Amino acid sequence: MKIQRLDDLALFLTTVDAGSFSAAARQLYVAPAVASAAIKRLEAQLGVRLFERTTRRLRLSEAGERFLPDARQAWQHLRDAEQALDADAHALTGTLRLTLPSNLARSHLLDWLEDYLAERPAVRLEMQVSDRVADLYQQPIDLAVRYGQPEDSRFIALPLAPDNRRVLVASPDYLARHGKPGSLSELQQHACLLYRLGDAVHDRWRFDLPGEPQIKVRGTRISDDGDVVRLWALRGLGVAYKSYLDVSRELASGELVQLLPELPGELAPVHLLLIHRQRLNPALRELAQAMARFCQQL
């Protein structure tokens, strides 16, 4: 015996409670003929008559009486399963695999994530902290926080800090020894702290000005870890061109000073990336929105 359509089971239970096919049909917003056909189909599949029909009343048959408790239990199990899935969609559970850029992670997001997940003890966190661009299709990663515009149009990109820009910074100690650059061209007279991503060294610093000006800089220190570049700047080793989010704390505390603040730096938007649309459930959307609110406060 196999029940092929769950809506037939729903009509059976509603008919029992409502007392007639027509009343059940009204409750479920279907035609009376549809309700009657559903019961006949269910009876054919079970091989028994579930109702005794007369011109005046409808009542359960003996077989229907025996079937009713199991039908109610089966329907309740189904509802419980649906509610469990819905709860999973609205609450973070299971393993969350996340990759974060090094500087942003250490400066802000590690502490924020611990506070966020403290109220979600069911989550097991697996985190990759690196500036190397992980292959989201080959590696078991659920979410990726990344700078820049997504290169793959298949990604689902949730904006965290779409207006974030790069800023020129140096320590007060460095500026006391070497002075402040008064223009972009004067940067060529300073020790610049360079960042490498893959095989490319970012030694051409771009600014959001007419003509998209850029300046080629030089330096004796290069790292593929953005946080190392920040630490070099804090130690007075040169001028860095960093995402504002990476150095917002140091700018607020005075450990770093922004240079040429009148020049709008290169746009460096931050996104939370997913590769599967089915992963974009309410729980992950809530995580993205909470992370975005946090980034906007920095």
Side-chain angles (χ1 to χ4, degrees):
M1 178 269 292
K2 293 183 180 180
I3 299 175
Q4 298 175 354
R5 295 179 54 168
L6 291 174
D7 52 346
D8 291 352
L9 185 61
L11 270 163
F12 167 71
L13 295 172
T14 305
T15 299
V16 171
D17 294 335
S20 70
F21 293 144
S22 58
R26 285 194 297 272
Q27 289 187 26
L28 297 178
Y29 300 99
V30 298
V34 172
S36 178
I39 298 302
K40 289 180 180 179
R41 186 165 51 242
L42 184 60
E43 289 177 330
Q45 291 165 3
L46 296 173
V48 297
R49 290 180 64 84
L50 296 173
F51 292 99
E52 298 293 346
R53 302 165 176 82
T54 68
T55 56
R56 294 186 176 181
R57 60 193 297 256
L58 182 73
R59 65 178 180 85
L60 281 171
S61 66
E62 184 178 345
E65 294 281 3
R66 292 197 307 270
F67 178 65
L68 179 60
D70 291 334
R72 288 196 189 281
Q73 186 178 45
W75 186 253
Q76 187 58 50
H77 284 328
L78 178 63
R79 298 295 296 168
D80 291 345
E82 289 177 339
Q83 290 174 5
L85 288 175
D86 186 62
D88 287 346
H90 285 80
L92 281 179
T93 57
T95 299
L96 177 63
R97 299 175 180 87
L98 186 63
T99 178
L100 304 173
S102 64
N103 200 159
L104 186 58
R106 295 187 179 100
S107 296
H108 301 292
L109 291 183
L110 292 181
D111 290 340
W112 180 84
L113 276 168
E114 288 306 314
D115 291 340
Y116 187 82
L117 296 178
E119 300 176 3
R120 297 159 179 83
V123 177
R124 177 175 180 266
L125 180 64
E126 291 186 12
M127 184 181 298
Q128 178 186 110
V129 177
S130 174
D131 288 333
R132 296 178 181 176
V133 179
D135 188 334
L136 302 187
Y137 291 103
Q138 297 296 325
Q139 298 184 28
I141 294 172
D142 300 310
L143 302 171
V145 175
R146 285 188 182 166
Y147 281 107
Q149 295 296 339
E151 296 180 358
D152 192 327
S153 61
R154 294 172 294 177
F155 289 154
I156 301 166
L158 305 177
L160 297 180
D163 300 323
N164 181 59
R165 292 184 180 274
R166 300 193 182 281
V167 291
L168 289 166
V169 296
S171 71
D173 174 62
Y174 175 85
L175 297 176
R177 289 183 285 114
H178 300 281
K180 284 186 178 182
S183 65
L184 286 181
S185 61
E186 290 184 18
L187 284 175
Q188 294 175 326
Q189 304 169 19
H190 287 264
C192 292
L193 306 170
L194 303 180
Y195 172 68
R196 178 195 298 274
L197 182 60
D199 295 329
V201 175
H202 287 240
D203 58 359
R204 293 185 182 274
W205 292 354
R206 295 175 174 81
F207 293 81
D208 192 5
L209 294 167
E212 298 184 358
Q214 61 180 357
I215 183 167
K216 183 173 174 58
V217 296
R218 296 187 296 254
T220 59
R221 285 173 173 78
I222 304 171
S223 177
D224 65 350
D225 188 313
D227 201 34
V228 170
V229 175
R230 178 183 67 93
L231 293 173
W232 282 342
L234 286 170
R235 293 174 182 175
L237 297 177
V239 176
Y241 193 36
K242 295 288 296 175
S243 154
Y244 171 78
L245 291 180
D246 289 349
V247 293
S248 61
R249 285 182 178 175
E250 290 78 9
L251 288 172
S253 67
E255 295 173 274
L256 291 175
V257 176
Q258 184 175 354
L259 310 177
L260 304 175
E262 69 278 8
L263 300 181
E266 184 179 19
L267 197 63
V270 185
H271 293 89
L272 187 64
L273 302 183
L274 304 88
I275 62 171
H276 296 300
R277 184 164 295 278
Q278 58 266 36
R279 284 286 294 163
L280 187 55
N281 57 31
L284 291 185
R285 191 178 292 277
E286 177 189 343
L287 169 63
Q289 291 171 345
M291 191 179 292
R293 288 193 296 271
F294 172 72
C295 290
Q296 291 164 9
Q297 295 170 4
L298 297 177

